[in-house]
Amino acid sequence: AESAAVFTKQHAATLLNRPAYRYDYAIDQPHSSWHLSTGGQPYAPAYCGQIWIDQESSRVLRIEMSARDVPAYLRLDSIGSSIEYAFVKIGDNSYLLPAHAESLECQRGTTACFKNVTDFKGYRKYSADTNITFDDK
């Protein structure tokens, strides 16, 4: 399904020491593909956020998103996530890969929040040399 995202407010920015453009965006609830569930109750919220695009390569460097208008039955009132990408050298080439991600959920009407942080490290290139021979008998 298409997100029907509305992009606004282009800003020049710097991210990971690279010139970038930051855009604000919003996706309404009927077009949401972000699936949340708490207590067995699924919901696809409207959300908004920012996206940073590398000026040189036009690749995504960072995405942030925050749920909007979360219904009370979900028992959460603040939900957000972000993922940051970095150029990682693997072998002789550099690749734009996930480097850091965070998610935050706060319970409605409390100060209890849950934060999940993931750092992506240790990217490696694996290779092997093989030689196949056939004996004629």
Side-chain angles (χ1 to χ4, degrees):
E2 292 187 27
S3 66
V6 175
F7 289 90
T8 57
K9 298 182 184 174
Q10 175 186 342
H11 304 277
T14 301
L15 189 64
L16 305 171
N17 295 320
R18 298 183 64 86
Y21 296 113
R22 190 194 91 201
Y23 295 89
D24 297 341
Y25 70 92
I27 297 174
D28 62 5
Q29 196 275 326
H31 293 95
S32 177
S33 61
W34 188 11
H35 299 284
L36 306 175
S37 180
T38 180
Q41 299 277 342
Y43 185 70
Y47 59 98
C48 62
Q50 295 81 38
I51 186 168
W52 284 258
I53 307 292
D54 184 78
Q55 287 184 16
E56 181 182 318
S57 68
S58 298
R59 308 285 295 279
V60 173
L61 297 176
R62 181 177 174 87
I63 301 171
E64 293 180 359
M65 52 199 283
S66 298
R68 298 182 316 169
D69 305 321
V70 179
Y73 71 80
L74 281 183
R75 297 183 300 209
L76 299 171
D77 61 3
S78 180
I79 306 164
S81 71
S82 66
I83 187 162
E84 193 165 291
Y85 298 85
F87 287 94
V88 178
K89 188 165 177 73
I90 301 176
D92 295 332
N93 297 311
S94 285
Y95 302 92
L96 189 62
L97 298 170
H100 181 82
E102 293 186 12
S103 64
L104 180 69
E105 298 175 349
C106 296
Q107 289 184 333
R108 188 176 302 278
T110 74
T111 58
C113 294
F114 304 95
K115 185 175 186 178
N116 184 15
V117 176
T118 305
D119 287 314
F120 300 89
K121 298 179 180 180
Y123 286 109
R124 302 272 192 277
K125 177 183 178 182
Y126 293 95
S127 62
D129 291 326
T130 62
N131 186 4
I132 299 174
T133 59
F134 298 96
D135 290 332
D136 277 344
K137 290 191 180 187

